[in-house]
Amino acid sequence: MTILCALKRAHLCTNSLGMALQFEILARYKRARAAKLTLPHFTCQTPLFMPVGTQGTVKGLTSSQLEDAGCQIVLGNTYHLALRPGADLLEQLGGLHHFMNWSRALLTDSGGFQMVSLLHLADITEAGVTFQSPVDGTSMLLTPEESIHIQNKIGADIIMALDDVVKTTITGPRIEEAMYRTLRWIDRCIAAHSRPSEQNLFGIVQGGLDPHLRDVCCQGLVDRNLPGYAIGGLAGGEDKDSFWRVVAQCTAQLPEDKPRYVMGVGFPLDIVVCSALGADMYDCVYPTRTARFGTALIPEGMLKLKNADMATDVRPLDASCSCMVCKRYTRAYLHTLVTREAMGSQLISYHNVAYMMKLNNDLHKSILEGCFPQFVQGFLRMQFPKGNVPLWVCNAMEVAGIDISMCLSPEVASS
Amino acid sequence: MKVEDPRNLRSIGDSTSIRDIWDLPSSQIMKFSFSVRVWSKLDRARTGTLNLGTGKPLADTPCLLLTTRKGLPAFITPELLDEIYPAANLLQISPIHFLETPPTSLISGVGGIHLLVGLPEYGLAAFARDSLMCEANGQGTTKLGAAFETSGGRRLVGPSKYMELVNALKPDFWGSLPDEVPAWVSTKRNRMSVDRTLNWLDHCLSLHSVGAIFGTVVGGVDLELRMHSAQETAKRRVSGFSLGGFGLGESKEERAALLEVAIERLPAELPRHVSGLGMPEEVLEAVSAGCDILDSTYPHTLTTGGYAMTFPLSIQDEHDSEKLSIEECATLGSDSSKINLRSMSYRSDTSPLLKSCECHACCKYSRAYIHHLLNTHEMLAQTLLDIHNVTHYLRFFAAIREAISQNSFDQYKSWFVSRRR
């Protein structure tokens, strides 16, 4: 089994048209892969997690702190940046990299996600989405062309095609309509993209939880030979068993030699499962948002610092973590800061981002060193010491070809 | 205690016992001490060095104690604090912030405040007054203790509780628990405050086990009571003095006289801390009166208002600084001392907050970015502004020390005050 993963196969994008990246797979374990992703501003290693910096800043952290934590790509939200400070101003000031003093890579989403998060302010037609600005109430028509135009001005290393996003919990013809519209819009995005040699346009697979629709969408996008692909429309409240099946289907269908990005995924467990299924990139507000509510991410799961028993706990958040916060602070002190002082959320955000970076670095290293199954087993043992690994994880791992039977309690194993 | 001619004084260590120094191997122990290097000729201003002991920073005075919330600056994380130059290595902590959690046994168990807040090499000074959150108005204070407004409501803290906190926190130096009263209280209440503060000082002294103790001098706006409080406090075995009850409604003229009568009666070789005089002009006035250690909420106040300090620090500096007309200032919401980053005029301004500044914020970020962060309510705005404001204020203190060393403090003060008018 280990012979397989020791096989190092390089997949270099040879296509010079519309590519501003190189994706080189360094090692694999079954479907999982560890790769080197070379972007205009930074050479990254995958699997990789991208913290979300919606408005040109990751909540409360400086760019030097993000670098110290090991961040490789930061995500910016096109819709929010277009409202404030505005695309023209960003272009005038030398792009988002310069504006936020971030020298590593950036990715901007297309604004499509706001069709879901700000649905009450959005009106979706074939032309595009009309948003009512939550800032000043004016309306803005976001067409595929306009989205790309704005993202060209923002200047991120990876830009996303505008897709028609619907909630995965919705059923019926709206899902199909959205998928076909996403395919029609991708051509408009490609045509509008003015900086293909500096920015990589990723297409987004839609199609809800329907395998047939996902299949059509994957095929349609692969035909366009894009620099990378995203699996969209997930992590929106669907059941986990449907979630992993869509990821598994798409990662199997998408080309081997292109990066695969699962949008909106950020729970550590989901990242481990998706990586085992062959995904490479993730983004989520979860680590920083949960930090602001006083929850730290640790190998055992979540640590709720507001809990009364934290008041007398003199251990660091995570003894295995070497971040600045774990080196300096006890849980007891963070308990006194949390939710009362802004510093509490800043320190826990710092740790959570560092935790996510370390998790992804560990995934990369374990695939490279041929011990990916052992890493997954160790991870599951820590998260589920009683062996109550959820069934969807067991099912996904079976498809990923990773034996986790030793992590399961007898009851789970027999069911 | 007889006041000697200050010009004849040399460095004199404090009189605290060996028990006052916290757990360092005996061979390495250096005591808390203070020495004056240069005395101003025209006023009582002086510059010197505060030695907090082995492994601790040597702090040049007059110095600034940074404001903290539960032991850390409100917006600057510790590794960013480490980067600030001139070194931001003296912080003021309030024992009152630790009334609820963590338990004092735990604070003591982890090794005190330095280790609790992850700043073992910093100088941490404990004073009860928290100018940010709680106005010292004397209301609710009884013979049992001083009243403080906390997040858990009003709390009465007596000397025993206060010393339990101080002994657990193990600050490098700390002030005795005062009963501070504002300028408008009756003479009767003021007299009570003086007697009570002296009683509490004796109580604190009897319970004190760590750090250097600063006796707190009060007396409101009553010259006689100020004199009495200073005289009596000076009789105690203390390592320094804390001038309490300032910035609580006294007029500028009253303040000068009150500082003078109190400081005249304090031994010249010991350091003096003052609380509540944090604006630049107040700092100059306090330094001129002979204060060595000052706390200030001024940088914090500007930061939370979205302002960056831009006032020139020296006469040479003034020629290089931006000049704005009165009309421009009015439109920008700025003045000759500070700029308002919320103003739309900085929307596309790629220059740093202050060209001559080398702080983290000025080296790496533009006014346009900080304006955007304020506009979108992002926390990083306060972090960056505070790094700049704290750096600038520390540079202001460095300029004050330099002026005293050059025997030109009086001119410096006049120049500074005249350009701010």
Side-chain angles (χ1 to χ4, degrees):
Chain A
M1 216 171 261
T2 49
I3 304 164
L4 253 180
C5 44
L7 272 175
K8 183 184 160 186
R9 287 169 55 194
H11 283 258
L12 287 167
C13 289
T14 48
N15 188 344
S16 61
L17 282 171
M19 301 282 176
L21 63 76
Q22 281 190 316
F23 187 69
E24 183 188 349
I25 296 179
L26 304 174
R28 304 162 190 279
Y29 181 85
K30 300 276 175 68
R31 298 175 62 147
R33 33 298 177 95
K36 185 168 101 175
L37 172 64
T38 310
L39 293 170
H41 285 87
F42 197 66
T43 300
C44 318
Q45 58 176 43
T46 70
L48 79 84
F49 176 78
M50 303 179 282
V52 179
T54 301
Q55 324 217 56
T57 162
V58 177
K59 300 290 172 190
L61 301 178
T62 65
S63 37
S64 58
Q65 290 177 322
L66 292 169
E67 280 185 24
D68 291 345
C71 297
Q72 311 183 72
I73 307 181
V74 166
L75 185 143
N77 287 111
T78 293
Y79 175 73
H80 293 284
L81 290 167
L83 288 175
R84 294 180 301 192
D88 291 331
L89 182 64
L90 274 174
E91 189 183 34
Q92 183 197 326
L93 300 179
L96 182 58
H97 279 96
H98 193 71
F99 187 59
M100 64 182 283
N101 184 48
W102 176 245
S103 59
R104 296 188 178 178
L106 282 171
L107 179 149
T108 43
D109 73 350
S110 58
F113 177 67
Q114 276 67 38
M115 291 181 210
V116 172
S117 65
L118 300 173
L119 184 62
H120 58 292
L121 299 172
D123 182 25
I124 306 157
T125 62
E126 187 61 26
V129 201
T130 309
F131 286 110
Q132 199 187 357
S133 162
V135 180
D136 58 9
T138 55
S139 59
M140 161 175 131
L141 175 66
L142 188 70
T143 60
E145 291 80 9
E146 181 63 12
S147 170
I148 299 300
H149 191 53
I150 296 170
Q151 295 188 71
N152 283 156
K153 286 180 179 170
I154 295 173
D157 298 72
I158 298 173
I159 63 176
M160 303 304 297
L162 186 70
D163 51 348
D164 186 356
V165 191
V166 287
K167 276 196 171 150
T168 45
T169 46
I170 286 179
T171 49
R174 176 74 184 98
I175 303 280
E176 189 171 350
E177 179 196 46
M179 187 278 285
Y180 282 110
R181 184 173 284 154
T182 298
L183 277 181
R184 290 192 295 276
W185 282 1
I186 186 70
D187 292 320
R188 292 169 60 185
C189 289
I190 294 169
H193 186 16
S194 63
R195 300 174 67 186
S197 59
E198 300 151 281
Q199 295 182 284
N200 298 286
L201 174 65
F202 279 30
I204 305 172
V205 181
Q206 288 293 346
L209 306 176
D210 184 329
H212 172 67
L213 296 180
R214 287 277 173 182
D215 179 57
V216 172
C217 199
C218 275
Q219 203 48 58
L221 289 174
V222 171
D223 290 345
R224 269 88 173 173
N225 190 27
L226 295 161
Y229 300 93
I231 303 165
L234 292 177
E238 71 283 358
D239 67 287
K240 286 293 187 184
D241 218 47
S242 311
F243 161 77
W244 79 260
R245 283 177 208 280
V246 171
V247 173
Q249 183 198 349
C250 295
T251 51
Q253 255 179 292
L254 291 169
E256 264 301 298
D257 59 352
K258 302 281 176 72
R260 303 158 182 165
Y261 159 32
V262 188
M263 303 180 84
V265 160
F267 295 129
L269 180 61
D270 294 4
I271 288 179
V272 171
V273 171
C274 290
S275 298
L277 293 169
D280 309 300
M281 298 164 67
Y282 312 94
D283 82 280
C284 195
V285 294
Y286 173 69
T288 43
R289 178 169 295 171
T290 203
R292 294 200 296 284
F293 298 140
T295 303
L297 301 175
I298 58 168
E300 293 83 4
M302 295 185 300
L303 191 68
K304 295 203 165 121
L305 285 152
K306 280 197 238 173
N307 283 359
D309 55 346
M310 291 294 129
T312 53
D313 194 332
V314 293
R315 290 174 292 172
L317 287 177
D318 171 6
S320 67
C321 177
S322 59
C323 85
M324 173 273 289
V325 178
C326 290
K327 274 192 276 185
R328 293 193 194 226
Y329 298 107
T330 57
R331 295 172 178 189
Y333 182 60
L334 294 168
H335 169 83
T336 74
L337 285 183
V338 98
T339 67
R340 287 259 170 85
E341 307 295 339
M343 186 52 67
S345 78
Q346 244 171 301
L347 292 175
I348 300 169
S349 289
Y350 186 108
H351 164 79
N352 283 1
V353 169
Y355 171 83
M356 295 305 286
M357 295 306 137
K358 182 173 183 289
L359 174 68
N360 282 270
N361 188 43
D362 288 347
L363 286 168
H364 177 84
K365 265 187 7 210
S366 68
I367 298 170
L368 218 58
E369 289 162 7
C371 53
F372 183 61
Q374 290 80 354
F375 176 79
V376 173
Q377 290 152 10
F379 175 84
L380 291 176
R381 274 205 203 95
M382 290 293 264
Q383 297 256 326
F384 305 101
K386 291 180 198 139
N388 53 338
V389 179
L391 192 60
W392 70 273
V393 177
C394 303
N395 294 339
M397 286 301 170
E398 202 175 325
V399 168
I402 292 167
D403 179 13
I404 57 163
S405 55
M406 64 294 281
C407 309
L408 308 180
S409 64
E411 308 89 79
V412 177
S414 62
S415 63
Chain B
M1 199 180 274
K2 185 175 155 278
V3 182
E4 295 178 58
D5 182 347
R7 272 147 220 129
N8 300 333
L9 282 169
R10 293 287 165 270
S11 165
I12 299 170
D14 77 339
S15 54
T16 48
S17 74
I18 208 86
R19 284 203 314 127
D20 302 347
I21 312 302
W22 56 298
D23 54 7
L24 287 166
S26 54
S27 59
Q28 295 173 14
I29 284 180
M30 283 266 292
K31 284 189 189 180
F32 175 94
S33 65
F34 175 66
S35 59
V36 174
R37 207 169 48 251
V38 180
W39 301 82
S40 186
K41 293 203 169 65
L42 292 166
D43 52 21
R44 285 177 187 272
R46 57 210 201 151
T47 177
T49 306
L50 200 60
N51 187 341
L52 300 182
T54 306
K56 293 291 171 169
L58 284 176
D60 289 331
T61 63
C63 61
L64 169 67
L65 298 179
L66 298 182
T67 308
T68 61
R69 311 290 323 137
K70 291 191 176 160
L72 285 179
F75 307 115
I76 309 175
T77 51
E79 91 292 8
L80 291 170
L81 193 64
D82 289 344
E83 271 182 38
I84 290 179
Y85 184 84
N89 52 16
L90 292 178
L91 309 185
Q92 183 198 338
I93 55 153
S94 173
I96 309 307
H97 293 173
F98 298 92
L99 268 180
E100 315 285 338
T101 56
T104 48
S105 58
L106 185 139
I107 299 173
S108 198
V110 300
I113 182 72
H114 294 80
L115 294 176
L116 185 73
V117 302
L119 300 171
E121 284 155 12
Y122 280 63
L124 303 180
F127 291 95
R129 181 159 162 197
D130 174 359
S131 311
L132 267 186
M133 299 301 284
C134 169
E135 191 144 320
N137 58 13
Q139 276 174 22
T141 295
T142 70
K143 62 181 176 184
L144 298 175
F148 296 92
E149 302 297 336
T150 73
S151 53
R154 182 182 282 181
R155 293 284 304 265
L156 209 59
V157 179
S160 307
K161 182 65 189 171
Y162 185 73
M163 288 315 295
E164 183 194 327
L165 290 164
V166 168
N167 288 334
L169 292 164
K170 304 182 181 69
D172 295 298
F173 60 99
W174 54 277
S176 67
L177 181 68
D179 172 14
E180 287 184 281
V181 289
W184 52 84
V185 297
S186 67
T187 308
K188 189 179 164 208
R189 175 68 183 90
N190 200 359
R191 183 171 293 124
M192 192 191 283
S193 137
V194 171
D195 293 342
R196 203 174 262 163
T197 302
L198 283 168
N199 277 340
W200 288 350
L201 171 58
D202 292 332
H203 199 148
C204 289
L205 276 165
S206 71
L207 295 171
H208 124 256
S209 66
V210 283
I213 178 169
F214 280 39
T216 307
V217 175
V218 291
V221 290
D222 189 312
L223 289 172
E224 290 293 322
L225 286 171
R226 278 275 166 194
M227 276 186 235
H228 173 69
S229 177
Q231 255 161 358
E232 284 301 314
T233 310
K235 288 178 187 163
R236 271 68 174 181
R237 290 178 71 234
V238 292
S239 307
F241 301 92
S242 177
L243 296 150
F246 283 100
L248 296 176
E250 73 280 11
S251 71
K252 194 173 174 306
E253 293 69 33
E254 279 177 315
R255 183 183 297 157
L258 291 165
L259 283 168
E260 189 181 347
V261 295
I263 287 178
E264 262 176 5
R265 280 155 187 85
L266 300 176
E269 72 278 13
L270 294 183
R272 302 150 191 159
H273 161 262
V274 68
S275 195
L277 302 181
M279 295 278 292
E281 289 81 359
E282 292 173 336
V283 168
L284 291 169
E285 201 186 324
V287 166
S288 175
C291 294
D292 307 297
I293 304 164
L294 294 96
D295 58 45
S296 172
T297 56
Y298 186 62
H300 185 274
T301 309
L302 288 196
T303 295
T304 49
Y307 290 92
M309 288 185 209
T310 52
F311 57 81
L313 297 164
S314 65
I315 300 165
Q316 302 89 286
D317 209 13
E318 190 176 19
H319 301 303
D320 311 332
S321 66
E322 274 179 86
K323 300 247 173 2
L324 297 171
S325 67
I326 293 170
E327 292 76 26
E328 282 172 309
C329 285
T331 22
L332 299 183
S334 304
D335 59 28
S336 58
S337 297
K338 58 186 186 291
I339 57 170
N340 176 2
L341 270 300
R342 291 194 198 275
S343 164
M344 279 296 281
S345 59
Y346 300 115
R347 196 173 166 270
S348 58
D349 189 339
T350 54
S351 51
L353 292 174
L354 179 62
K355 282 201 183 71
S356 60
C357 182
E358 291 175 357
C359 78
H360 183 93
C362 289
C363 287
K364 300 195 169 191
Y365 299 94
S366 62
R367 291 174 174 184
Y369 185 58
I370 295 171
H371 166 79
H372 164 73
L373 294 175
L374 284 169
N375 196 25
T376 51
H377 309 285
E378 287 285 353
M379 289 188 275
L380 189 59
Q382 281 76 37
T383 304
L384 297 178
L385 281 175
D386 213 35
I387 289 173
H388 171 74
N389 286 333
V390 163
T391 304
H392 199 71
Y393 224 39
L394 288 165
R395 287 174 68 199
F396 173 55
F397 275 77
I400 291 174
R401 292 192 293 268
E402 178 63 20
I404 301 171
S405 298
Q406 303 293 326
N407 255 310
S408 58
F409 178 68
D410 197 55
Q411 287 121 279
Y412 184 82
K413 188 180 153 206
S414 313
W415 163 76
F416 193 94
V417 172
S418 68
R419 73 162 296 285
R420 292 258 292 184
R421 282 222 175 95

